[in-house]
Amino acid sequence: MSEVKVSSKMDKLVALCKRRGFIFQSSEIYGGINGFWDYGPLGVELKRNLKEAWWYDNVLCPDLGLDNKLVDMVGLDSSIIMNPKAWIASGHVGGFSDPMVDCRETKNRYRADHLKCAELVVMNATESHSLGWLAVVDAEDVESVWKKRAEKLLKKEKREWIPPAHLSSFTELPAAIQKSMIGPDTDKPGTLTEPRLFNLMFKTMIGAVEDASAVAYLRPETAQGIFVNFRNVMDTSRVKIPFGIAQIGKAFRNEVTPRNFTFRSREFEQMEIEFFVHPNQAHDWYRYWTQKRFEWWQSIGISAENLRLRPQTQEELAHYAKEGAGSSDVEYRFPFTDPEFGELEGVAHRSDYDLRQHAEHSGQGDRLKYFEQETGERFFPHVIEPSAGADRGALALLCEAYCDDPNRPSGVVMKFHPRMAPIKAAIFPLVDKEGMPEIARQLHADLRKKWAVQLDVKQNIGKRYARMDEVGTPYCFTIDTQTLQDQTVTIRYRDTLQQERIAIDKVKQFLFDHL
Ligand code: GAP
């Protein structure tokens, strides 16, 4: 990653995403809507490249599994709205919630565990006095945010104040302190409610009559669509344990505080695998998938130094993973978490929790068990679940690619891995005459059948290179006077700026070899 100041890097990246058509605020002309984002022409290509790479590498052509055997994987595309009973069985109706507090004065709502608090302490010559507690919303530089708020509140205070040694989470504090807290957007103490659990599922109504029987939910994870189809897939695809069912699709969560660009959104896409194994092999497959998924992110251009694999603590484990071998997160050092990391993907041993729950709640019972012909054993398989976010993945790719470079006319270059780059190559005629545009058009027409390439005829060549640097195009081919004589073109490499000539009829092969 570049050397730019961490706090400004995110601002610059967000600005670039808008300027060059990667990501826009949803419904921007109406003032936007918090927690929702749209992908522009380049963003949609970036995210498609990510999802297609995931699908190819995990579903169509996965690495060999344990004992170097082929891994069996099939795909699925299940509906976003499911029978609401599925969400009771999965535990989401009862337990998929975050603690939330409201401010009675401003009507703002916060996630309680995202509020960071400390005591305002002043001192005179001999003793210190508490002036109450102050909360701010967690941010990348939360200590300085808290200090600035404290300075503002204590402006008229003649005594000196003592900066706190550390900030506590609102949820860790006793009720008496919570009750008298000064909230993040008010100067008065005691306006925050006590934390209440808030279910994150979006509700909707099915059909014309809006009563309790019409309530349904937008899925908060794609996983349950896989579990409820376990029997269907077993009956139709001749898969044998161990095998996986993979799905890419939208998920929705009514996050209390969506933030950090697309990192925590209310509508997002997941890339999930439910990998069904014999219970005896669950530990081995859990280790296999955590390692595979950690390596995969590196294979698409995320540097090892910005990535880490972190086992979750017992307290962090989701309800379905409490009994299993554990859960590990693949984490990326986002600019807004730096020096810490943020979750990109979770790999969980869900044991047989989900299949058992659906077997019981649907009345299907043993029909959701797996029958192993060789041994005659009938059992609920255990599940290892690698669950990645496509939007967090795209955001990590953008953060990783962003490099300030004052020596380039663009001032910035996006160093995407060629497989992820939204535009794979650009084709430029040096000038818009002397037969060069015709050759360029011909080359472009030929290459576009296979790759996302762009033809750019206008402006001076430096400006055209700059445009391509800013969107991360790895290769530019220029047709010039020499092309007319010897049928060669210049290839310019984005990262090294090196230029060399290759025969025009070798360009296709070059791209086959490099993409
Ligand atoms: N089926 C398991 C599951 O849903 P999760 O850790 O809640 O697990 C999996 O979500 C992945 O989905 C996360 O690692 C993250 O990449 C992505 N994700 C979760 N909540 C998100 C949100 N509010 N905005 C963007 N991505 C999110």
Side-chain angles (χ1 to χ4, degrees):
M1 276 201 279
S2 70
E3 295 301 309
V4 287
K5 241 184 86 209
V6 169
S7 54
S8 65
K9 176 167 174 171
M10 214 46 219
D11 295 343
K12 289 188 196 179
L13 180 64
V14 172
L16 182 140
C17 282
K18 177 163 164 54
R19 186 170 72 247
R20 298 311 313 271
F22 281 96
I23 299 175
F24 309 123
Q25 216 187 356
S26 166
S27 339
E28 192 185 313
I29 59 169
Y30 290 102
I33 171 166
N34 199 6
F36 298 89
W37 299 93
D38 296 340
Y39 287 78
L42 292 182
V44 75
E45 294 299 333
L46 175 70
K47 199 165 140 190
R48 255 165 45 89
N49 291 341
L50 173 68
K51 290 189 288 182
E52 279 174 13
W54 184 90
W55 193 263
Y56 184 83
D57 295 345
N58 290 286
V59 185
L60 301 182
C61 193
D63 286 348
L64 293 178
L66 294 180
D67 304 331
N68 283 336
K69 292 207 180 110
L70 284 180
V71 167
D72 244 353
M73 191 78 78
V74 292
L76 185 80
D77 186 359
S78 67
S79 62
I80 285 172
I81 295 180
M82 297 167 58
N83 188 314
K85 287 182 192 156
W87 301 111
I88 297 171
S90 68
H92 284 84
V93 169
F96 191 56
S97 24
D98 279 337
M100 159 204 96
V101 297
D102 286 308
C103 176
R104 282 183 280 260
E105 188 180 285
T106 62
K107 309 290 174 235
N108 286 346
R109 176 165 282 186
Y110 314 96
R111 228 173 96 167
D113 53 332
H114 288 174
L115 290 182
K116 299 295 165 204
C117 320
E119 202 171 7
L120 290 161
V121 181
V122 289
M123 67 183 296
N124 56 22
T126 52
E127 26 178 46
S128 56
H129 295 271
S130 170
L131 298 182
W133 281 70
L134 168 68
V136 296
V137 177
D138 198 6
E140 59 190 65
D141 51 351
V142 64
E143 278 87 7
S144 65
V145 173
W146 191 94
K147 263 173 114 174
K148 272 194 200 134
R149 277 274 287 140
E151 270 159 13
K152 216 167 147 205
L153 283 172
L154 299 174
K155 216 164 48 197
K156 295 196 183 113
E157 181 59 57
K158 295 280 178 286
R159 293 166 291 184
E160 263 195 39
W161 69 280
I162 308 173
H166 85 284
L167 302 179
S168 311
S169 173
F170 189 81
T171 47
E172 295 162 6
L173 296 167
I177 294 182
Q178 290 178 347
K179 269 189 193 149
S180 59
M181 185 73 65
I182 302 172
D185 302 300
T186 174
D187 295 348
K188 275 197 230 153
T191 64
L192 297 183
T193 61
E194 62 186 44
R196 278 180 297 139
L197 284 178
F198 168 74
N199 194 297
L200 298 187
M201 279 199 295
F202 275 104
K203 268 192 195 157
T204 186
M205 296 283 179
I206 296 176
V209 183
E210 296 203 350
D211 63 12
S213 68
V215 169
Y217 304 96
L218 305 191
R219 65 180 176 201
E221 61 171 12
T222 62
Q224 298 305 324
I226 296 180
F227 293 123
V228 300
N229 276 294
F230 175 70
R231 185 78 257 159
N232 285 336
V233 174
M234 288 290 304
D235 289 348
T236 53
S237 9
R238 307 179 70 200
V239 279
K240 281 188 168 173
I241 268 172
F243 75 93
I245 306 178
Q247 162 152 246
I248 298 180
K250 291 263 186 180
F252 301 82
R253 295 183 190 174
N254 198 359
E255 298 282 357
V256 180
T257 41
R259 60 197 181 141
N260 290 330
F261 202 20
T262 58
F263 181 83
R264 191 175 302 286
S265 313
R266 289 178 164 141
E267 173 178 340
F268 55 96
E269 242 175 320
Q270 291 187 314
M271 310 187 287
E272 297 201 294
I273 296 169
E274 307 305 322
F275 198 75
F276 299 91
V277 302
H278 190 282
N280 291 346
Q281 287 207 307
H283 280 68
D284 293 342
W285 279 108
Y286 169 66
R287 272 196 297 277
Y288 170 89
W289 278 111
T290 42
Q291 196 51 37
K292 277 286 164 220
R293 298 304 307 143
F294 183 59
E295 287 163 10
W296 184 79
W297 287 102
Q298 294 170 55
S299 78
I300 57 162
I302 304 288
S303 64
E305 73 183 64
N306 287 325
L307 212 55
R308 83 173 177 194
L309 193 55
R310 187 183 65 84
Q312 287 188 3
T313 61
Q314 196 58 31
E315 296 74 58
E316 285 177 283
L317 292 178
H319 57 282
Y320 50 74
K322 291 270 185 229
E323 317 261 290
S327 283
S328 290
D329 289 344
V330 180
E331 296 183 328
Y332 179 69
R333 197 200 313 262
F334 290 95
F336 47 81
T337 58
D338 193 13
E340 291 305 318
F341 293 73
E343 179 185 336
L344 200 51
E345 168 159 6
V347 183
H349 175 202
R350 292 181 80 124
S351 64
D352 56 4
Y353 176 86
D354 303 271
L355 285 179
R356 269 185 194 281
Q357 288 291 107
H358 289 303
E360 189 190 321
H361 285 254
S362 66
Q364 292 282 313
D366 285 359
R367 274 183 50 75
L368 295 196
K369 281 187 173 166
Y370 177 79
F371 177 65
E372 196 162 65
Q373 262 167 354
E374 296 76 22
T375 59
E377 192 186 354
R378 202 178 281 280
F379 58 90
F380 285 114
H382 275 211
V383 168
I384 310 301
E385 179 198 61
S387 169
D391 303 272
R392 282 201 193 162
L395 182 59
L397 291 174
L398 284 162
C399 294
E400 184 74 21
Y402 186 95
C403 290
D404 270 334
D405 186 348
N407 297 323
R408 295 186 191 230
S410 56
V412 57
V413 53
M414 295 296 284
K415 291 190 175 174
F416 292 117
H417 187 291
R419 201 176 171 201
M420 295 295 112
I423 303 170
K424 305 298 180 196
I427 299 121
F428 304 148
L430 185 63
V431 288
D432 191 8
K433 54 188 179 188
E434 296 167 21
M436 292 180 212
E438 289 74 15
I439 300 174
R441 275 193 196 100
Q442 173 85 47
L443 181 61
H444 174 250
D446 195 21
L447 298 181
R448 69 182 297 198
K449 291 180 195 149
K450 179 86 188 108
W451 298 285
V453 291
Q454 238 180 46
L455 174 73
D456 192 353
V457 186
K458 299 260 150 48
Q459 293 187 315
N460 75 45
I461 194 79
K463 282 201 177 137
R464 283 182 275 169
Y465 282 144
R467 280 174 63 79
M468 287 301 138
D469 281 349
E470 223 188 357
V471 299
T473 306
Y475 311 109
C476 294
F477 300 102
T478 302
I479 285 90
D480 54 20
T481 32
Q482 198 177 324
T483 314
L484 307 173
Q485 292 150 17
D486 65 5
Q487 285 77 53
T488 61
V489 295
T490 308
I491 169 164
R492 174 206 188 247
Y493 295 85
R494 176 198 65 200
D495 296 352
T496 59
L497 299 177
Q498 187 203 341
Q499 298 200 8
E500 61 191 27
R501 296 199 77 86
I502 62 166
I504 199 162
D505 60 5
K506 293 274 183 315
V507 168
K508 227 171 168 175
Q509 191 55 48
F510 174 92
L511 290 179
F512 269 118
D513 295 344
H514 288 79
L515 292 173

